[in-house]
Coordinates of all heavy atoms in Angstrom, one line a residue:
Chain A
T12 N 7.9 160.1 152.8 CA 7.8 160.8 151.5 C 9.2 160.9 151.0 O 10.2 160.7 151.7 CB 7.2 162.2 151.7 OG1 7.0 162.7 150.4 CG2 8.1 163.1 152.4
W13 N 9.3 161.1 149.6 CA 10.6 161.4 149.1 C 10.5 162.7 148.3 O 9.6 163.0 147.6 CB 11.2 160.2 148.2 CG 10.4 159.7 147.1 CD1 9.7 160.4 146.2 CD2 10.2 158.3 146.8 NE1 9.1 159.5 145.3 CE2 9.4 158.2 145.7 CE3 10.7 157.1 147.4 CZ2 9.0 157.0 145.1 CZ3 10.3 155.9 146.8 CH2 9.5 155.8 145.7
L14 N 11.6 163.4 148.5 CA 11.7 164.7 147.7 C 12.7 164.4 146.6 O 12.5 163.5 145.8 CB 12.1 165.8 148.7 CG 11.3 165.9 150.0 CD1 11.8 167.1 150.9 CD2 9.8 166.2 149.7
D15 N 13.8 165.2 146.6 CA 14.8 164.9 145.5 C 15.8 163.9 146.0 O 16.8 164.3 146.6 CB 15.5 166.2 145.1 CG 16.3 166.0 143.9 OD1 16.3 164.9 143.3 OD2 17.0 167.0 143.5
G16 N 15.4 162.7 145.9 CA 16.3 161.6 146.3 C 16.2 160.5 145.2 O 15.6 160.7 144.2
C17 N 16.8 159.3 145.4 CA 16.8 158.3 144.4 C 15.8 157.2 144.7 O 15.8 156.2 144.0 CB 18.2 157.8 144.2 SG 18.7 156.6 145.5
S18 N 15.1 157.3 145.8 CA 14.2 156.3 146.4 C 15.0 155.1 147.0 O 14.4 154.2 147.6 CB 13.2 155.7 145.3 OG 13.9 154.9 144.4
M22 N 14.0 152.1 149.5 CA 14.3 150.7 149.2 C 15.0 150.0 150.4 O 14.7 148.9 150.7 CB 15.2 150.6 148.0 CG 14.6 150.9 146.7 SD 13.1 149.9 146.3 CE 11.9 151.1 146.5
L25 N 12.5 148.9 152.8 CA 11.9 147.7 152.3 C 12.8 146.5 152.6 O 12.3 145.4 152.8 CB 11.6 147.7 150.8 CG 10.3 148.4 150.4 CD1 10.1 148.1 148.9 CD2 9.1 147.8 151.2
D26 N 14.1 146.8 152.7 CA 15.1 145.7 152.9 C 15.0 145.2 154.3 O 15.8 144.3 154.6 CB 16.5 146.2 152.6 CG 16.7 146.2 151.0 OD1 16.1 145.4 150.3 OD2 17.6 147.0 150.6
D28 N 12.8 143.5 155.0 CA 12.2 142.2 154.6 C 11.1 141.7 155.5 O 10.2 142.4 155.7 CB 13.4 141.2 154.5 CG 14.3 141.5 153.4 OD1 13.9 142.1 152.4 OD2 15.5 141.3 153.6
Y42 N 0.7 157.1 155.2 CA 0.9 157.9 154.0 C 2.3 157.6 153.5 O 3.2 157.8 154.3 CB 0.7 159.4 154.4 CG 1.0 160.4 153.3 CD1 0.0 160.9 152.6 CD2 2.4 160.7 153.0 CE1 0.3 161.9 151.6 CE2 2.6 161.7 152.0 CZ 1.6 162.2 151.3 OH 1.9 163.1 150.4
S43 N 2.5 157.1 152.3 CA 3.8 156.7 151.8 C 3.7 156.2 150.4 O 2.7 155.8 149.9 CB 4.3 155.6 152.7 OG 5.4 154.9 152.1
P44 N 4.8 156.3 149.7 CA 4.8 155.7 148.3 C 4.6 154.2 148.4 O 4.2 153.6 147.4 CB 6.3 155.9 147.8 CG 6.9 156.9 148.7 CD 6.1 156.8 150.0
L45 N 4.7 153.6 149.6 CA 4.6 152.1 149.7 C 3.2 151.7 149.9 O 2.9 150.5 149.8 CB 5.5 151.7 150.9 CG 6.9 152.1 150.9 CD1 7.7 151.7 152.2 CD2 7.7 151.5 149.7
D47 N -1.2 152.5 149.5 CA -2.1 153.3 148.7 C -2.3 154.6 149.5 O -2.5 154.6 150.7 CB -3.4 152.6 148.6 CG -4.1 152.9 147.3 OD1 -3.6 153.7 146.6 OD2 -5.2 152.3 147.1
G48 N -2.2 155.7 148.8 CA -2.0 157.0 149.5 C -3.3 157.3 150.3 O -4.4 157.0 149.9
K49 N -3.0 158.0 151.4 CA -4.1 158.7 152.1 C -3.6 160.1 152.2 O -2.4 160.4 152.0 CB -4.3 158.1 153.5 CG -4.7 156.6 153.4 CD -4.8 156.1 154.8 CE -5.2 154.6 154.8 NZ -4.9 153.9 156.0
H50 N -4.5 161.0 152.5 CA -4.1 162.3 152.7 C -3.3 162.3 154.0 O -3.5 161.5 154.9 CB -5.2 163.3 152.9 CG -5.8 163.6 151.6 ND1 -5.2 164.4 150.6 CD2 -6.9 163.1 151.0 CE1 -5.9 164.4 149.6 NE2 -7.0 163.7 149.7
N66 N 12.9 171.5 144.4 CA 12.0 172.3 143.6 C 10.9 172.8 144.5 O 10.8 172.5 145.7 CB 11.5 171.6 142.3 CG 10.6 170.4 142.7 OD1 9.9 170.4 143.7 ND2 10.7 169.3 141.9
E68 N 7.8 172.1 144.7 CA 7.0 171.1 145.3 C 7.6 170.4 146.5 O 7.0 170.1 147.5 CB 6.5 170.0 144.3 CG 5.4 170.4 143.5 CD 4.9 169.3 142.5 OE1 5.5 168.2 142.6 OE2 4.1 169.7 141.7
K72 N 6.1 170.3 150.2 CA 5.9 169.0 150.9 C 6.7 168.9 152.2 O 6.2 168.4 153.2 CB 6.5 167.9 150.0 CG 6.3 166.5 150.5 CD 4.9 166.1 150.8 CE 4.1 166.1 149.5 NZ 2.6 165.7 149.7
F102 N 26.5 174.9 139.6 CA 26.3 175.3 138.2 C 25.1 176.3 138.2 O 24.2 176.2 139.0 CB 25.9 174.1 137.4 CG 27.1 173.1 137.3 CD1 27.2 172.1 138.2 CD2 28.0 173.2 136.2 CE1 28.2 171.2 138.1 CE2 29.0 172.3 136.1 CZ 29.2 171.3 137.1
S106 N 22.2 176.5 133.0 CA 23.1 175.6 132.3 C 22.6 174.1 132.6 O 22.8 173.2 131.8 CB 24.5 175.8 132.7 OG 24.8 175.3 134.0
Y108 N 19.4 173.2 133.1 CA 18.3 173.0 132.2 C 18.8 172.8 130.7 O 18.3 171.9 130.0 CB 17.3 174.2 132.2 CG 16.3 174.3 133.3 CD1 16.4 175.3 134.2 CD2 15.3 173.4 133.3 CE1 15.4 175.4 135.3 CE2 14.3 173.5 134.3 CZ 14.4 174.5 135.3 OH 13.4 174.6 136.3
R110 N 21.6 171.8 129.4 CA 22.2 170.5 129.0 C 21.1 169.5 128.7 O 21.2 168.8 127.6 CB 23.1 170.0 130.2 CG 23.6 168.6 130.0 CD 24.5 168.4 128.8 NE 25.6 169.4 128.6 CZ 26.7 169.4 129.3 NH1 27.0 168.4 130.1 NH2 27.6 170.3 129.0
A111 N 20.1 169.4 129.5 CA 19.1 168.3 129.3 C 18.1 168.6 128.2 O 17.8 167.7 127.4 CB 18.4 168.1 130.6
Y112 N 17.7 169.9 128.1 CA 16.6 170.2 127.3 C 16.9 171.0 126.0 O 16.0 171.2 125.2 CB 15.4 170.8 128.1 CG 15.0 169.9 129.2 CD1 15.3 170.3 130.5 CD2 14.3 168.7 129.0 CE1 14.9 169.4 131.6 CE2 13.9 167.9 130.0 CZ 14.2 168.3 131.3 OH 13.8 167.4 132.3
N115 N 21.1 168.1 124.6 CA 20.9 166.7 124.3 C 19.6 166.4 123.8 O 18.9 165.4 124.2 CB 21.1 165.9 125.7 CG 22.6 166.1 126.2 OD1 23.4 166.6 125.5 ND2 22.8 165.5 127.4
V116 N 19.1 167.1 122.8 CA 17.8 166.9 122.2 C 17.9 167.0 120.7 O 18.6 167.9 120.2 CB 16.8 168.0 122.8 CG1 15.6 168.1 122.0 CG2 16.5 167.7 124.2
Q117 N 17.1 166.2 120.0 CA 17.1 166.2 118.5 C 15.8 166.8 118.0 O 15.8 167.2 116.8 CB 17.4 164.8 117.9 CG 18.8 164.3 118.1 CD 19.1 163.9 119.5 OE1 18.3 163.3 120.2 NE2 20.2 164.4 120.0
H118 N 14.8 166.9 118.8 CA 13.5 167.4 118.3 C 12.9 168.3 119.3 O 12.8 167.9 120.5 CB 12.6 166.2 118.0 CG 11.3 166.6 117.5 ND1 11.0 166.8 116.1 CD2 10.1 166.8 118.1 CE1 9.7 167.2 116.0 NE2 9.2 167.2 117.2
N119 N 12.5 169.5 118.9 CA 11.7 170.3 119.8 C 12.4 170.7 121.1 O 11.8 170.6 122.2 CB 10.4 169.6 120.1 CG 9.3 170.6 120.5 OD1 9.3 171.7 120.1 ND2 8.3 170.1 121.2
P123 N 10.8 172.6 129.7 CA 9.4 172.2 130.1 C 8.9 173.3 131.2 O 9.7 173.5 132.1 CB 9.5 170.8 130.7 CG 10.8 170.3 130.1 CD 11.7 171.4 129.9
N124 N 7.7 173.8 131.0 CA 7.3 174.8 131.9 C 5.8 174.8 132.1 O 5.2 175.6 132.7 CB 7.7 176.2 131.4 CG 7.1 176.5 130.1 OD1 6.4 175.7 129.5 ND2 7.5 177.7 129.5
D125 N 5.1 173.7 131.5 CA 3.7 173.7 131.5 C 3.2 172.7 132.7 O 3.2 171.5 132.5 CB 3.2 173.2 130.2 CG 1.7 173.0 130.1 OD1 1.0 173.4 131.1 OD2 1.2 172.5 129.1
G126 N 3.0 173.3 133.8 CA 2.5 172.5 134.9 C 3.6 171.6 135.6 O 3.3 170.7 136.3
P128 N 6.9 171.8 138.3 CA 7.4 172.8 139.2 C 8.8 173.3 138.9 O 9.6 172.5 138.4 CB 7.4 171.9 140.5 CG 7.5 170.5 140.1 CD 6.8 170.4 138.8
C150 N 23.9 156.5 152.8 CA 23.5 156.6 151.4 C 23.4 155.2 150.8 O 24.2 154.8 150.0 CB 24.4 157.5 150.6 SG 23.9 157.8 148.9
A180 N 27.6 155.9 154.4 CA 27.5 154.4 154.7 C 26.8 153.7 153.7 O 25.9 154.2 153.0 CB 26.8 154.2 156.1
Chain B
V10 N -1.2 164.2 144.5 CA -0.7 165.3 145.3 C 0.3 164.8 146.4 O 1.0 165.6 147.0 CB -1.8 166.1 146.0 CG1 -2.4 167.0 145.0 CG2 -2.8 165.1 146.6
T11 N 0.3 163.5 146.7 CA 1.0 163.2 147.9 C 2.3 162.5 147.6 O 3.1 162.9 146.8 CB 0.2 162.3 148.8 OG1 -0.4 161.3 148.1 CG2 -0.9 163.2 149.4
R12 N 2.5 161.3 148.1 CA 3.9 160.7 148.2 C 4.6 160.6 146.9 O 5.8 160.5 146.9 CB 3.9 159.4 148.9 CG 3.0 158.3 148.4 CD 3.0 158.0 147.0 NE 2.0 157.2 146.6 CZ 2.1 156.7 145.3 NH1 3.0 157.0 144.6 NH2 1.1 156.0 144.9
E14 N 4.6 162.9 145.6 CA 4.9 164.3 145.8 C 4.7 165.1 144.5 O 5.5 165.9 144.2 CB 6.3 164.4 146.3 CG 6.5 164.0 147.7 CD 6.4 162.5 147.9 OE1 7.2 161.9 147.2 OE2 5.5 162.0 148.6
G15 N 3.7 164.7 143.8 CA 3.4 165.5 142.6 C 4.5 165.3 141.6 O 4.6 166.1 140.6
R18 N 1.8 163.5 137.2 CA 0.4 164.0 137.2 C -0.2 163.7 135.8 O 0.6 163.5 134.8 CB 0.6 165.6 137.3 CG -0.7 166.4 137.3 CD -0.3 167.8 137.8 NE 0.4 168.5 136.7 CZ -0.2 169.3 135.8 NH1 -1.4 169.5 135.8 NH2 0.5 169.9 134.9
T37 N 7.2 165.4 136.9 CA 7.4 166.8 137.4 C 8.7 166.9 138.2 O 8.8 167.8 139.0 CB 6.2 167.2 138.3 OG1 6.0 166.2 139.3 CG2 4.9 167.2 137.5
Q38 N 9.6 166.0 138.0 CA 10.9 166.0 138.7 C 12.0 166.1 137.7 O 12.0 165.4 136.7 CB 11.0 164.8 139.6 CG 12.2 164.7 140.4 CD 12.1 165.5 141.7 OE1 11.1 166.0 142.0 NE2 13.2 165.6 142.4
F39 N 13.0 166.9 138.0 CA 14.2 167.0 137.2 C 15.4 167.2 138.1 O 15.4 168.0 139.0 CB 14.0 168.2 136.2 CG 15.3 168.5 135.5 CD1 16.0 167.6 134.8 CD2 15.8 169.8 135.5 CE1 17.2 167.9 134.1 CE2 17.0 170.2 134.8 CZ 17.6 169.2 134.1
R40 N 16.5 166.5 137.8 CA 17.6 166.5 138.8 C 18.9 167.0 138.2 O 19.7 167.6 139.0 CB 17.7 165.1 139.3 CG 16.4 164.5 139.9 CD 16.5 163.2 140.5 NE 17.4 163.2 141.7 CZ 18.0 162.2 142.2 NH1 17.9 161.0 141.6 NH2 18.8 162.3 143.2
E43 N 23.1 165.2 134.2 CA 23.9 165.3 132.9 C 24.8 166.6 133.0 O 25.8 166.7 132.3 CB 23.0 165.4 131.7 CG 22.3 164.1 131.4 CD 21.2 164.2 130.4 OE1 20.4 165.1 130.6 OE2 21.1 163.4 129.5
K44 N 24.4 167.5 133.8 CA 25.2 168.7 134.0 C 26.1 168.6 135.2 O 27.3 168.9 135.1 CB 24.3 170.0 134.1 CG 25.1 171.3 134.1 CD 25.7 171.5 132.7 CE 26.6 172.8 132.8 NZ 27.2 173.0 131.4
E47 N 29.6 167.2 135.3 CA 30.7 167.8 134.5 C 31.8 168.3 135.5 O 31.6 168.8 136.5 CB 30.1 169.1 133.9 CG 30.8 169.6 132.7 CD 30.1 170.7 132.0 OE1 29.0 170.4 131.4 OE2 30.5 171.8 132.1
R60 N 23.4 156.8 141.9 CA 22.4 157.6 142.8 C 21.3 158.2 142.0 O 20.5 159.0 142.5 CB 23.2 158.7 143.5 CG 23.6 158.3 145.0 CD 24.7 157.3 144.9 NE 25.1 156.9 146.3 CZ 26.1 156.0 146.6 NH1 26.7 155.4 145.6 NH2 26.3 155.6 147.8
G63 N 17.5 154.4 143.3 CA 17.7 153.4 144.3 C 16.9 152.1 144.0 O 17.1 151.1 144.7
I64 N 16.1 152.1 143.0 CA 15.4 150.9 142.7 C 16.2 150.0 141.7 O 16.2 148.8 141.8 CB 14.0 151.2 142.0 CG1 13.2 152.0 143.0 CG2 13.3 149.9 141.7 CD1 11.9 152.6 142.5
L107 N 9.6 143.4 143.2 CA 9.1 144.6 143.8 C 7.8 145.0 143.0 O 6.8 145.3 143.5 CB 10.1 145.7 143.8 CG 9.6 147.1 144.2 CD1 9.4 147.2 145.7 CD2 10.6 148.2 143.8
P125 N -9.3 151.1 148.7 CA -8.0 151.7 148.5 C -7.1 151.7 149.8 O -5.9 151.5 149.7 CB -8.2 153.1 148.1 CG -9.7 153.2 147.7 CD -10.4 152.1 148.4
R128 N -5.5 148.3 149.7 CA -5.0 147.8 148.4 C -3.5 148.1 148.4 O -3.0 149.0 147.6 CB -5.8 148.4 147.2 CG -5.6 147.6 146.0 CD -6.5 148.1 144.9 NE -6.4 149.6 144.8 CZ -7.5 150.4 144.6 NH1 -8.7 149.9 144.5 NH2 -7.3 151.7 144.6
R148 N 12.3 139.1 146.6 CA 13.1 140.4 146.5 C 14.3 140.3 147.4 O 15.4 140.7 147.0 CB 12.2 141.5 147.0 CG 12.9 142.9 146.9 CD 12.0 144.0 147.2 NE 12.8 145.3 147.2 CZ 13.5 145.7 148.3 NH1 13.4 145.0 149.4 NH2 14.2 146.8 148.1
Q149 N 14.2 139.7 148.6 CA 15.3 139.5 149.5 C 16.4 138.7 148.9 O 17.6 139.0 149.0 CB 14.9 138.9 150.8 CG 15.9 138.8 151.8 CD 15.4 138.1 153.1 OE1 14.5 137.2 153.0 NE2 15.9 138.4 154.2
Q152 N 18.3 140.9 146.4 CA 19.0 141.9 147.2 C 20.2 141.3 147.9 O 21.3 141.9 148.0 CB 18.1 142.7 148.2 CG 17.1 143.6 147.6 CD 17.7 144.9 147.0 OE1 18.4 144.9 146.0 NE2 17.6 146.0 147.7
K161 N 26.8 145.8 149.8 CA 25.6 146.6 150.2 C 24.4 146.2 149.3 O 24.6 145.8 148.2 CB 25.8 148.1 150.0 CG 26.6 148.8 151.1 CD 26.9 150.2 150.6 CE 25.8 151.2 150.8 NZ 26.1 152.6 150.3
H164 N 23.2 150.6 146.4 CA 24.4 151.4 146.0 C 25.7 150.7 146.5 O 26.6 151.3 147.1 CB 24.4 152.8 146.6 CG 23.2 153.6 146.1 ND1 22.8 153.6 144.8 CD2 22.4 154.5 146.7 CE1 21.8 154.4 144.7 NE2 21.5 155.0 145.8
E266 N 15.9 162.2 120.8 CA 15.1 162.6 122.0 C 14.4 163.9 121.7 O 14.9 164.8 121.2 CB 16.0 162.8 123.2 CG 16.6 161.5 123.8 CD 17.5 161.9 125.0 OE1 18.7 162.2 124.8 OE2 17.0 161.8 126.1
A267 N 13.1 163.9 122.1 CA 12.3 165.1 121.9 C 11.8 165.6 123.3 O 11.9 164.9 124.3 CB 11.0 164.7 121.1
V268 N 11.4 166.9 123.3 CA 10.9 167.5 124.6 C 9.5 168.0 124.3 O 9.2 168.4 123.3 CB 11.8 168.7 125.0 CG1 11.4 169.1 126.4 CG2 13.3 168.4 124.9
P270 N 6.6 170.4 126.4 CA 6.6 171.4 127.5 C 6.0 170.9 128.8 O 6.2 171.4 129.9 CB 5.7 172.6 127.0 CG 5.0 172.0 125.8 CD 5.8 170.9 125.2
S272 N 6.3 168.0 130.4 CA 7.0 166.9 131.2 C 8.5 167.1 131.3 O 9.1 167.5 130.3 CB 6.7 165.6 130.6 OG 7.2 164.5 131.4
Y273 N 9.0 166.8 132.4 CA 10.5 166.8 132.5 C 11.1 165.5 131.9 O 12.3 165.4 131.8 CB 10.9 166.9 134.0 CG 10.9 168.3 134.6 CD1 10.4 168.6 135.8 CD2 11.5 169.4 133.8 CE1 10.4 169.9 136.3 CE2 11.5 170.6 134.4 CZ 11.0 170.9 135.6 OH 11.0 172.2 136.1
K275 N 11.9 163.3 128.9 CA 12.0 163.4 127.5 C 11.4 162.3 126.7 O 11.0 161.3 127.3 CB 13.5 163.6 127.1 CG 14.0 164.9 127.5 CD 15.4 165.2 126.8 CE 16.5 164.7 127.7 NZ 17.8 165.2 127.2
Y284 N 9.5 162.0 114.8 CA 8.7 162.2 116.1 C 7.3 162.7 115.7 O 7.2 163.6 114.9 CB 9.4 163.2 117.0 CG 8.7 163.4 118.3 CD1 8.9 162.5 119.4 CD2 7.8 164.5 118.5 CE1 8.2 162.7 120.5 CE2 7.1 164.6 119.7 CZ 7.3 163.7 120.7 OH 6.6 163.9 121.9
W395 N 31.1 166.2 129.2 CA 29.7 166.1 128.7 C 29.1 164.7 129.1 O 29.8 163.7 129.1 CB 29.7 166.3 127.2 CG 28.4 166.1 126.5 CD1 27.4 167.1 126.4 CD2 27.9 164.9 125.9 NE1 26.3 166.5 125.7 CE2 26.6 165.2 125.4 CE3 28.4 163.6 125.7 CZ2 25.8 164.3 124.7 CZ3 27.7 162.7 125.1 CH2 26.4 163.0 124.5
M396 N 27.8 164.6 129.2 CA 27.2 163.4 129.5 C 25.7 163.4 129.0 O 25.1 164.4 129.0 CB 27.1 163.2 131.1 CG 26.2 162.0 131.5 SD 26.0 162.0 133.3 CE 27.4 161.3 133.9
N397 N 25.3 162.2 128.4 CA 23.9 162.1 128.1 C 23.5 160.7 128.7 O 24.1 159.7 128.5 CB 23.7 162.0 126.6 CG 22.3 162.1 126.2 OD1 21.5 162.7 126.9 ND2 21.9 161.5 125.0
S446 N 11.9 157.3 139.4 CA 13.1 157.6 140.2 C 14.2 158.0 139.3 O 15.0 158.9 139.5 CB 13.5 156.4 141.0 OG 13.9 156.8 142.2
H450 N 10.6 160.3 140.2 CA 10.4 159.3 141.1 C 8.9 159.0 141.1 O 8.1 159.9 141.2 CB 10.5 159.7 142.6 CG 11.5 160.6 142.9 ND1 12.1 161.5 142.1 CD2 12.1 160.8 144.1 CE1 13.0 162.2 142.8 NE2 13.0 161.8 144.0
F452 N 6.3 155.5 142.3 CA 6.1 154.1 142.3 C 5.0 153.8 143.3 O 4.7 154.7 144.1 CB 7.3 153.3 142.5 CG 7.6 152.8 143.8 CD1 7.7 151.5 144.1 CD2 7.9 153.8 144.8 CE1 8.0 151.1 145.4 CE2 8.2 153.3 146.1 CZ 8.2 152.0 146.4
Q454 N 1.2 153.1 144.5 CA -0.1 153.5 144.1 C -0.3 155.0 144.3 O 0.0 155.5 145.3 CB -1.1 152.7 145.0 CG -0.7 151.3 145.1 CD -1.9 150.4 145.1 OE1 -3.0 150.8 145.0 NE2 -1.7 149.1 145.2
R474 N -8.9 160.3 145.6 CA -8.6 158.9 146.0 C -7.3 159.0 146.7 O -6.4 159.5 146.2 CB -8.5 158.1 144.7 CG -9.1 156.7 144.7 CD -8.4 155.8 145.7 NE -7.0 155.7 145.5 CZ -6.5 155.1 144.4 NH1 -7.2 154.6 143.5 NH2 -5.2 155.0 144.3
G475 N -7.3 158.4 147.9 CA -6.0 158.4 148.5 C -5.8 159.3 149.6 O -6.7 159.8 150.2

Side-chain angles (χ1 to χ4, degrees):
Chain A
T12 187
W13 53 46
L14 309 179
D15 190 3
C17 76
S18 71
M22 290 303 109
L25 278 187
D26 283 333
D28 296 324
Y42 176 98
S43 164
L45 306 173
D47 213 355
K49 296 177 181 163
H50 285 288
N66 70 32
E68 280 182 5
K72 181 61 64 182
F102 296 88
S106 75
Y108 276 114
R110 172 59 51 81
Y112 301 110
N115 294 355
V116 165
Q117 287 71 46
H118 179 87
N119 206 23
N124 60 1
D125 177 5
C150 181
Chain B
V10 282
T11 52
R12 56 49 193 188
E14 287 72 56
R18 184 166 72 92
T37 57
Q38 180 83 4
F39 169 55
R40 308 182 63 201
E43 291 166 315
K44 187 66 186 180
E47 202 173 291
R60 266 70 183 179
I64 300 171
L107 174 77
R128 202 172 47 221
R148 179 173 179 277
Q149 183 182 31
Q152 289 287 75
K161 278 173 84 181
H164 300 322
E266 290 181 275
V268 190
S272 185
Y273 277 135
K275 288 193 271 190
Y284 181 82
W395 175 86
M396 171 191 276
N397 191 29
S446 218
H450 323 25
F452 95 116
Q454 314 218 3
R474 218 296 303 291

